[in-house]
């Protein structure tokens, strides 16, 4: 369901901008200083978050998976054109997802278990991005690119009604993204931006709800699919 909704949103947004670009006879924007700022928001779909509770032998380790509902992403960028087709920018963004369910199994082949989960997982990104603009000679400009940086991950989740189990406080991890989109010039200084971003955060450890009595959840990777729209202000 998540993938179907994601594809539908992306296809609808890109089709709308393609039609506008073909129908409109807008003169390409004049040269500017190259600096710009942008604001954006959209829907975010987080893949299942897998993590491991490691116990000393002879106790087995436990593998956990947290499933979340569709979330949201909000953010902004400051950037400049460093070369005719190439833009560099700094992005600060925030994503949040509501917990839905969990499952787990110990690694000695024990029975699987699962249940409802409550609470949320969130991430604050600080990324340096590079985007390559594809000049079409019109106000319609596709682009591709990506970036890397760090992300601060936090969580406050609860598995079933247990006070002991659930992903809690996270940590800082390496983050990256890759994406593509289109911009559509409204005026010489304002453009609309619709795009897709695949974001990842690697190797995050989460405290357990009762960190004094329960082992942490280790080596969690957060991968998300994001469909976003925003406004670019050029200077």
């Amino acid at each position: 369901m998540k993938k179907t909704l994601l594809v539908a949103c992306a296809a609808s947004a890109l089709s709308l901008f393609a039609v506008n670009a073909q129908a409109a006879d807008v003169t390409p924007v004049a040269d500017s200083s190259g600096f710009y700022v942008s604001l954006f928001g959209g829907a975010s779909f987080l893949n299942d978050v897998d993590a491991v509770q490691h116990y000393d032998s002879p106790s087995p380790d436990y593998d956990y998976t947290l499933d979340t509902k569709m979330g949201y992403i909000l953010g902004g960028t400051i950037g400049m054109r460093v070369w005719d087709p190439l833009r560099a920018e700094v992005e600060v963004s925030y994503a949040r997802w509501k917990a839905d369910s969990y499952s787990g199994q110990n690694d000695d082949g024990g029975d699987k278990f699962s249940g409802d989960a409550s609470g949320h997982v969130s991430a604050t990104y600080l990324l340096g991005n590079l985007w390559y603009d594809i000049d079409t000679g019109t106000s319609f400009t596709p682009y591709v690119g990506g970036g890397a940086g760090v992300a601060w991950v936090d969580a406050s989740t609860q598995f079933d009604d247990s006070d002991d189990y659930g992903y809690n406080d996270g940590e800082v991890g390496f983050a990256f993204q890759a994406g593509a989109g289109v911009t559509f010039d409204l005026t010489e200084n304002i453009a609309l931006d619709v795009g897709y971003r695949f974001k990842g955060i690697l190797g995050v450890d989460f405290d357990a709800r009762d960190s004094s009595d329960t082992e942490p959840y280790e080596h969690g990777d957060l991968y998300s699919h994001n469909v976003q729209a925003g406004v670019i202000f050029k200077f």
Side-chain angles (χ1 to χ4, degrees), residues 50-53 61-65 103-107 113 167:
D50 299 325
V52 178
Q53 278 189 319
D61 294 342
Y62 283 80
D63 299 320
Y64 280 87
T65 296
S103 60
Q105 184 180 28
N106 63 45
D107 62 4
F113 50 89
Y167 298 175

Side-chain angles (χ1 to χ4, degrees), residues 56-182:
D56 294 333
S57 181
S59 298
D61 294 342
Y62 283 80
D63 299 320
Y64 280 87
T65 296
L66 175 68
D67 182 50
T68 61
K69 300 179 180 180
M70 182 183 73
Y72 64 86
I73 186 166
L74 300 171
T77 70
I78 299 175
M80 68 173 295
R81 188 168 298 282
V82 295
W83 183 46
D84 188 25
L86 196 64
R87 293 181 285 121
E89 66 182 27
V90 175
E91 171 189 329
V92 177
S93 55
Y94 174 81
R96 185 182 175 103
W97 309 272
K98 186 175 181 180
D100 186 27
S101 62
Y102 81 97
S103 60
Q105 184 180 28
N106 63 45
D107 62 4
D108 64 359
D111 292 338
K112 293 183 178 180
F113 50 89
S114 61
D116 294 332
S118 58
H120 73 275
V121 179
S122 64
T124 302
Y125 299 88
L126 177 61
L127 302 171
N129 302 322
L130 286 175
W131 303 110
Y132 185 92
D133 291 329
I134 302 171
D135 186 10
T136 64
T138 69
S139 58
F140 174 77
T141 306
Y143 64 87
V144 296
V150 296
W152 290 261
V153 178
D154 194 20
S156 179
T157 67
Q158 187 172 4
F159 297 164
D160 291 323
D161 296 323
S162 172
D163 288 331
D164 295 332
Y165 296 98
Y167 298 175
N168 218 37
D169 296 337
E171 61 179 6
V172 178
F174 171 77
F176 67 90
Q177 73 172 346
V182 292

Side-chain angles (χ1 to χ4, degrees), residues 28-48:
V29 298
D31 291 338
S32 63
S33 67
F35 287 94
Y36 65 90
V37 297
S38 73
L39 298 173
F40 63 85
S44 183
F45 304 83
L46 181 66
N47 288 1
D48 292 346

